[in-house]
């Protein structure tokens, strides 16, 4: 009999899509079972605690309904929503060998018949571990010649917008927020989904800082702020430009910083002349006096720290909004002081060797001999129902678009989903569903649970949690590289993304040695470990595997000595923009035929658009504090934490009264794309004309559709992102229709 092991504590990293990337210590007992998860007290940002979502993580890892074995859809079972808890009845268990052989054969057949671009991967940030997010999967699809996925759904508009201004996503170190005297949380629910910033905000407030929250929804963060500005959705650019108008009008800008560090100030100054507080007030719903007060407070308080989050950019004008907001600390010189400046994401600090991980060169060995076409994940409904249709019709293989002959390639005939749940999270749910229901679409889903997406799968493959595989991770909310060590054996036959795509590649006869790389080898590749055992990535040259194994977390060089050498981003040297400076004016946008300066353009789907006549309410299809998009929504403990707004439509009392709707009424929320039924909940904190309902799994709604039945596939002005917060609807009491 093997000797039993004592309790062990393993350093892992929470890989959910959250800026905090917490260091998680997992205690494992003699039987190899995880018995405790806790935040690492030694990690300067985790500080020994976890959020409510992950504090209960063992409920997820050991959930009785986890998918533990490869499953194949039973013959004759239609692709359609399956009853919660009985999904397994639609599938039969198969071995990994059977599953991989069948999937490889079907992908090969699809590639031969329609071309490899008819195979579409679909993934996002179900895990943000460097390997799990994108490594062996990318190698596989490059070599296969499958369509490339433009991963735009969450942050692309904001990320591109920030980079247009600064060239690289860097920000004020999270720990330095404690020094701020003003914290401006713009579209940032710090309490809900960036909780490890909160202790620094509290410390700053104890030292006299004010917290101002700009958010159409009264989040938990907004509720405890010194000032909550419930701006109308999608009008953030108007507010930022109005603030700039006041700052320049009153001479509150930092001329020395502007002269040394920026490009295009004169053009920006000219542009903001038209954005008077009076004009900005009309759009935002604020008073001119409030805009003036905010601008003065922001420009004259030192240090002022901005926490901008991605909600702002999920509207039609979202890219311009992020650009305008991102320019504020450049205008006031807020970057110059420790504790000033701001954050959207700090992921630009992590120079992983992505080429080595993803191997785009393998596309040359694919049947295409080139990189494949790109499909935008925010348009999945369109991709599955419209893409390539004309090519396959008898009329020929070319279609007319905007008067030009256009060939967008083959229709999608195989969909491979991992790290995502598009049946719940993709906009225009009914179009997505029509696509997923296609009998001729072959769908594989790598997942931990049966979800809205597995209901349409031909194969469901069991996926590991971050406790069950090894990875390396950076963060977009701090500056530490961390090693996530495998803490427990995978449950059942769950496998990691790296294993899955390596095996599938070998099954398809791809002979390149890189498909046999182990997780450990790939971590070394991500770090570009050199002959002396150190990383050769910029800013990681001091990092070794041994240090990561020993410490769990190692700071980037820019953050290695925060007391002696505090990191002040964008205060010296050339920036990674075309001009080498912070760009108020972007020639890149001019070249692309876009407005080189930020401006406010009312959304088509807003109270100012023509659609508002028919659908006058602006809907916030909002996220949850205790889920991670759709992740965790299936767990009873997490659902309980979100019970207050479960299946609710929050609506302003004036809007409710105008529709004869009272608290607790069943209401139908609808537009041209779809309808859902919810229970009315009056909320006077919302701006009038704005309603809110949170994302949930479609199959957990009585009608089988969630808020994404109402959202559109219209894209953001920059980056081709999803516009979840530019959605118009009408509301009526349920049963009024007939
Ligand atoms: S979800 Fe975020 S806050 Fe929660 S444990 Fe993971 S990284 Fe930390």
């Amino acid at each position: 009999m093997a000797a039993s092991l004592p309790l062990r504590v393993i350093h892992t990293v929470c890989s959910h899509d959250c800026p905090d990337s917490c260091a998680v210590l997992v205690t494992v007992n003699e039987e190899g079972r995880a018995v405790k998860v806790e935040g690492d007290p030694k990690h300067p940002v985790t500080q020994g605690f976890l959020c409510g979502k992950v504090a209960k993580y063992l409920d997820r890892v050991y959930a009785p309904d986890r998918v533990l074995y490869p499953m194949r859809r039973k013959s004759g079972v239609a692709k359609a929503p399956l009853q919660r808890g009985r999904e397994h009845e639609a599938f039969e268990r198969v071995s990994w060998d059977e599953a991989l052989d069948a999937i490889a054969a079907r992908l090969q057949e699809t590639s031969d018949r329609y071309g490899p671009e008819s195979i579409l991967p679909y993934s996002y940030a179900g895990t943000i571990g460097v390997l799990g997010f994108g490594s062996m999967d990318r190698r596989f699809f490059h070599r296969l010649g499958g369509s490339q996925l433009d991963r735009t759904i969450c942050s692309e508009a904001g990320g591109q917008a920030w980079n247009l201004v600064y060239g690289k996503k860097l920000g004020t170190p999270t720990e330095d927020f404690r020094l701020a005297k003003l914290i401006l949380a713009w579209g940032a629910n710090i309490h809900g989904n960036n909780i490890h910033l909160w202790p620094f905000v509290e410390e700053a407030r104890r030292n006299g800082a004010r917290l101002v929250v700009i958010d159409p929804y009264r989040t938990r963060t907004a509720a405890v702020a010194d000032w909550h500005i419930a701006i109308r959705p999608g009008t953030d650019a108007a507010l930022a430009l109005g603030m700039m108008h006041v700052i320049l009008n009153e001479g509150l800008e930092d001329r020395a910083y502007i002269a040394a560090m920026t490009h295009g100030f004169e053009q920006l100054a000219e542009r903001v002349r038209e954005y008077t507080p009076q004009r900005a007030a009309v759009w935002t719903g604020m008073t001119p006096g409030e805009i003036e007060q905010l601008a003065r407070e922001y420009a004259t308080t030192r240090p002022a720290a901005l926490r901008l989050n991605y909600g702002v950019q999920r509207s039609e004008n979202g890219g311009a909004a992020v650009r305008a907001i991102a320019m504020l600390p450049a205008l006031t010189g807020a970057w110059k002081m420790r504790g000033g400046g701001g954050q959207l994401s700090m992921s630009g600090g992590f120079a992983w060797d992505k080429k080595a991980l993803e191997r785009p060169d393998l596309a040359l060995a694919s049947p295409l001999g080139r990189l494949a076409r790109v499909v935008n994940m925010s348009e999945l409904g369109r991709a599955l129902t419209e893409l390539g249709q004309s090519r396959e019709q008898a009329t020929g293989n070319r279609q007319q678009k905007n008067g030009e002959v256009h060939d967008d390639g083959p229709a999608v005939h195989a969909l491979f989903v991992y790290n995502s749940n598009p049946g719940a999270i993709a906009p225009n749910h009914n179009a997505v569903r029509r696509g997923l229901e296609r009998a001729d679409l072959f769908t594989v889903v790598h997942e931990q649970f049966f979800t809205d997406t597995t209901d349409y799968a031909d194969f469901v493959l069991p996926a590991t949690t971050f406790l069950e595989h090894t990875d390396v991770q950076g963060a977009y909310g701090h500056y530490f590289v961390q090693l996530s060590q495998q803490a427990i054996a995978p449950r059942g036959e769950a496998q990691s993304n790296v294993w899955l795509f390596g095996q599938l590649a070998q099954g398809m006869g791809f002979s390149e040695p890189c498909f046999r790389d182990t997780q450990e080898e790939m971590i070394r590749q991500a770090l570009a470990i050199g002959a002396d055992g150190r990383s050769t990535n910029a800013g990681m040259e001091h990092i070794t595997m041994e240090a990561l194994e020993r410490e769990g977390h190692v700071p980037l060089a820019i953050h290695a000595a925060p007391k002696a050498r505090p990191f002040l981003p964008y205060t010296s040297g050339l920036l990674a923009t075309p001009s080498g400076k912070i760009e108020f004016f972007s020639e890149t946008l001019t070249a692309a035929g876009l407005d080189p300066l930020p401006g406010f353009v009312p959304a088509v789907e807003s109270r100012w658009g023509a659609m508002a006549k028919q659908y006058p309410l602006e809907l916030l299809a909002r996220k949850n504090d205790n889920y991670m998009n759709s992740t965790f929504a299936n767990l009873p403990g997490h659902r309980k934490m979100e019970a207050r707004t479960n299946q609710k439509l929050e609506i302003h009392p004036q809007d409710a009264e105008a529709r004869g709707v009272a608290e607790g009424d069943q209401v139908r929320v609808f537009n041209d794309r779809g309808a859902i039924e919810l229970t009315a909940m009056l909320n006077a904190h919302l701006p009038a004309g704005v309603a809110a309902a949170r994302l949930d799994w479609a199959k957990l709604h009585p009608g089988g559709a969630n808020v994404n039945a109402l959202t559109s596939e219209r894209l953001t002005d920059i980056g081709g992102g999803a516009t979840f917060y530019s959605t118009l609807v009408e509301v009526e009491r349920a049963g009024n229709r007939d």
Side-chain angles (χ1 to χ4, degrees), residues 26 36 98 185 228 248 277 284 314 368 394 469 483 543 564 582 606 683 693 702:
V26 182
K36 187 158 110 185
E98 277 178 280
H228 172 210
L248 296 185
T284 58
R314 293 189 191 118
L368 295 172
H469 58 237
L483 187 64
I543 296 180
I582 297 168
S606 72
N683 182 348

Side-chain angles (χ1 to χ4, degrees), residues 440-455:
D440 65 316
L441 180 73
F442 177 67
T443 300
V444 181
V445 183
H446 188 216
E447 248 301 352
Q448 295 165 357
F449 291 92
F450 289 111
T451 65
D452 282 331
T453 309
T454 58
D455 285 355

Side-chain angles (χ1 to χ4, degrees), residues 14 16 18 20-22 50-51 53-54 195-196 628:
C14 174
H16 290 282
C18 167
D20 300 8
S21 281
C22 287
L50 302 174
C51 67
K53 295 179 271 278
V54 173
I195 189 67
H196 291 84
M628 188 68 68

Side-chain angles (χ1 to χ4, degrees), residues 639-652:
R639 292 195 73 74
K640 211 167 157 192
M641 293 194 287
E642 291 287 347
R644 196 182 69 85
T645 52
N646 192 31
Q647 317 276 326
K648 298 280 181 6
L649 178 80
E650 295 178 70
I651 183 168
H652 192 278

Side-chain angles (χ1 to χ4, degrees), residues 139-402:
R139 293 178 183 179
F140 173 76
F141 287 109
H142 282 138
R143 175 65 182 79
L144 180 70
S147 286
Q148 298 185 86
L149 187 71
D150 202 1
R151 291 176 171 83
T152 57
I153 203 158
C154 177
S155 63
E156 193 62 14
Q160 285 195 23
W162 185 277
N163 284 345
L164 281 162
V165 180
Y166 293 106
K168 199 187 229 193
K169 283 186 274 183
L170 297 171
T172 307
T174 294
E175 301 93 308
D176 284 359
F177 271 64
R178 60 159 67 99
L179 302 171
K181 292 295 177 208
L182 175 72
I183 295 168
L184 191 53
W186 201 318
N189 179 9
I190 299 168
H191 222 289
N193 46 41
N194 183 196
I195 189 67
H196 291 84
L197 178 58
W198 191 250
F200 302 110
V201 174
E202 280 192 321
E203 189 179 336
R205 293 177 88 186
R206 280 197 298 277
N207 291 324
R210 258 166 69 80
L211 173 66
V212 179
V213 173
I214 302 170
D215 199 316
Y217 189 79
R218 193 171 176 85
T219 61
R220 280 153 74 193
T221 313
V224 297
D226 297 293
W227 184 12
H228 172 210
I229 299 169
I231 190 175
R232 290 179 184 144
T235 63
D236 308 85
L239 174 57
L241 290 159
M243 288 173 69
M244 289 185 200
H245 178 100
V246 176
I247 290 167
L248 296 185
N249 213 30
E250 300 188 4
L252 302 177
E253 74 275 17
D254 184 332
R255 287 275 172 166
Y257 182 84
I258 290 167
M261 293 300 302
T262 72
H263 165 79
F265 173 69
E266 299 304 330
Q267 292 100 319
L268 179 70
E270 186 57 34
R271 167 61 60 89
V272 304
R273 280 159 68 102
E274 64 190 86
Y275 286 92
T276 61
Q278 290 72 19
R279 211 168 149 229
V282 171
W283 303 116
T284 58
M286 296 168 70
T287 66
E290 287 172 329
I291 294 171
E292 285 165 354
Q293 183 192 334
L294 179 66
R296 285 183 200 127
E297 201 174 321
Y298 176 72
T300 59
T301 309
R302 302 272 189 277
L306 170 71
R307 180 61 172 106
L308 170 61
N309 214 336
Y310 283 112
V312 167
Q313 45 100 70
R314 293 189 191 118
S315 59
E316 292 172 35
N317 197 215
V322 168
R323 275 187 82 217
I325 297 166
M327 290 173 188
L328 286 169
L331 213 55
T332 61
W335 295 110
K336 292 194 308 193
M337 284 185 80
R338 196 168 171 204
Q343 284 185 3
L344 173 67
S345 160
M346 288 117 95
S347 62
F350 297 86
W352 306 111
D353 190 344
K354 287 204 171 152
K355 243 184 176 173
L357 279 179
E358 301 180 2
R359 297 288 307 274
D361 57 296
L362 291 168
L364 299 176
S366 76
L368 295 172
R370 58 166 169 82
L371 283 169
R373 70 165 174 200
V374 179
V375 174
N376 187 337
M377 72 184 304
S378 300
E379 298 178 300
L380 181 64
R382 206 167 288 147
L384 296 181
T385 58
E386 295 177 23
L387 191 61
Q389 294 302 312
S390 62
R391 176 184 263 211
E392 292 176 15
Q393 284 163 7
T395 48
N397 68 355
R398 302 224 154 214
Q399 61 178 310
Q400 293 282 126
K401 237 187 206 174
N402 301 328

